[in-house]
């Protein structure tokens, strides 16, 4: 263990861009991934579990992991399309029984650490809301939550809501109101992280593992109609680049809450932008990205491994 590294726990729903983020963090010499937990999201939780286990195997990632929630807090809110999308097509990992579950796993990992740990969230916030509710003392052990989720401006699932928040708005609301400091890497910056054909070729050129990552990115994103010609966004990677080089982004602090009742705004992250507002500014929102610096940092990590 290296005490100079940034210690993180990742909650994720792989997902091609989740894979890209996890591998970026694992390849970086400045990050120590203490563990990984899964949540439904990009696809059914069964496929998320398979993708996670086989990715950890294939990329030789020495990271402990546990499986989490397969549906949102409000069981009627089945926002995700349960489909065969995002199947990584890696060699099958021998299936294993989940003995602990994500909430217990996260609690234990936080307790094991003496210093505070950063929680990186790349999917719906179901596991995290359960953790903070069941074990409120864990809040004091979390440095901050760096999340891919939400949008100040336009959503993607609906015009108001971003996917990760829309999948479980009740959970997201609890997390935003938990008192834990939040950094929100939302669509305002993440939708600019387009990888084009020449970027993917460059990454493949770095080696066998990088080639496999590119195969995953291409295969899974094509199921959403994304192509290297149009550009493939790697949303979740923003969280990791922010940890490593925060100056890649501009940010502003706001009081952010989540709409759970709106007829057309359910899942919207609403920032209080009134200049005279006295509401507690609970969230650092990433508002702008320097895409050249982002790509330089991302490629440097990919090249070094
Ligand atoms: C988010 O939704 C998922 O599809 C991606 O993995 C990312 O976390 C983008 O809205
Ligand atoms: Ca994700």
């Amino acid at each position: 263990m290296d005490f100079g590294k940034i210690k993180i726990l990742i909650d994720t729903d792989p997902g091609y861009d989740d894979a890209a983020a996890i591998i970026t963090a694992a390849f970086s010499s400045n990050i120590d991934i203490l563990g990984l937990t899964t949540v439904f999201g990009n696809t059914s939780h069964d496929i998320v579990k398979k993708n996670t286990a086989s990715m950890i195997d294939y990329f030789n990632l020495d990271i402990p992991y546990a499986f989490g929630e397969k549906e949102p807090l409000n069981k009627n809110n089945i926002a995700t399309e349960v489909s065969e999308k995002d199947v990584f097509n890696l060699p099958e990992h021998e299936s294993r029984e989940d003995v602990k579950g994500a909430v217990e796993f996260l609690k234990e990992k936080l307790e094991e650490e003496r210093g505070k740990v950063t929680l990186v969230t790349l999917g719906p916030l179901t596991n995290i809301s359960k953790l903070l509710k069941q074990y409120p003392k864990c809040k004091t052990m979390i440095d901050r939550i760096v999340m891919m989720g939400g949008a100040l401006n336009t959503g993607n699932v609906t015009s108001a809501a971003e996917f990760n928040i829309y999948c479980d708005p009740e959970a997201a609301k609890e997390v935003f109101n938990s008192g834990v400091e939040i950094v929100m890497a939302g669509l305002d910056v993440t939708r600019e992280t387009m990888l084009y054909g020449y970027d993917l070729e460059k990454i493949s050129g770095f080696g066998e593992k990088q080639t496999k990552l590119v195969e995953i990115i291409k295969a899974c994103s094509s199921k959403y109609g994304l192509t290297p010609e149009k550009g493939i966004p790697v949303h979740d990677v923003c969280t990791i680049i922010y940890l490593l080089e925060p100056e890649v982004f501009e940010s502003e602090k706001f009081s952010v809450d989540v709409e759970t009742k709106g007829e057309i705004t359910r899942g919207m992250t609403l920032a209080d932008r009134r200049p005279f507002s006295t509401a507690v500014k609970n969230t650092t929102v990433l508002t702008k990205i320097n895409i050249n610096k982002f790509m330089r940092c991302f490629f440097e990590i990919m090249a070094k491994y």
Side-chain angles (χ1 to χ4, degrees), residues 46-67:
D46 280 343
I47 295 174
V48 160
K49 286 192 322 195
K50 276 191 193 165
N51 283 349
T52 303
S54 57
M55 177 178 63
I56 285 189
D57 257 13
Y58 181 86
F59 290 95
N60 278 326
L61 307 177
D62 184 19
I63 306 171
Y65 61 96
F67 302 136

Side-chain angles (χ1 to χ4, degrees), residues 11 60 63 75 92 100 102 112 127 202 207 245 267 304:
D11 188 62
N60 278 326
I63 306 171
K75 309 286 178 242
E92 277 274 328
K100 202 164 285 170
E112 275 170 21
N127 291 335
K202 191 168 161 185
E245 292 200 24
K304 259 195 231 150

Side-chain angles (χ1 to χ4, degrees), residues 134-207:
Q134 278 177 38
Y135 301 109
K137 68 174 183 196
C138 282
K139 292 180 192 175
T140 61
M141 304 167 199
I142 299 168
D143 185 32
R144 54 191 175 158
I145 295 173
V146 178
M147 129 191 342
M148 190 288 130
L152 268 193
N153 296 305
T154 312
N156 54 4
V157 185
T158 70
S159 63
E162 181 278 331
F163 179 83
N164 288 341
I165 306 295
Y166 188 73
C167 282
D168 197 342
E170 281 76 17
K173 190 174 187 67
E174 281 176 24
V175 172
F176 274 94
N177 287 289
S178 67
V180 178
E181 194 189 323
I182 292 170
V183 176
M184 179 177 124
L187 294 172
D188 312 289
V189 291
T190 70
R191 56 161 50 102
E192 290 192 41
T193 59
M194 292 291 192
L195 296 181
Y196 294 96
Y198 49 84
D199 297 312
L200 296 167
E201 265 174 43
K202 191 168 161 185
I203 297 169
S204 293
F206 294 140

Side-chain angles (χ1 to χ4, degrees), residues 1-7 30 32 34 112-115:
M1 191 174 305
D2 181 333
F3 290 99
K5 292 187 178 187
I6 307 165
K7 292 178 185 179
N30 295 320
D32 187 6
L34 303 175
E112 275 170 21
E113 285 304 310
R114 268 187 263 150

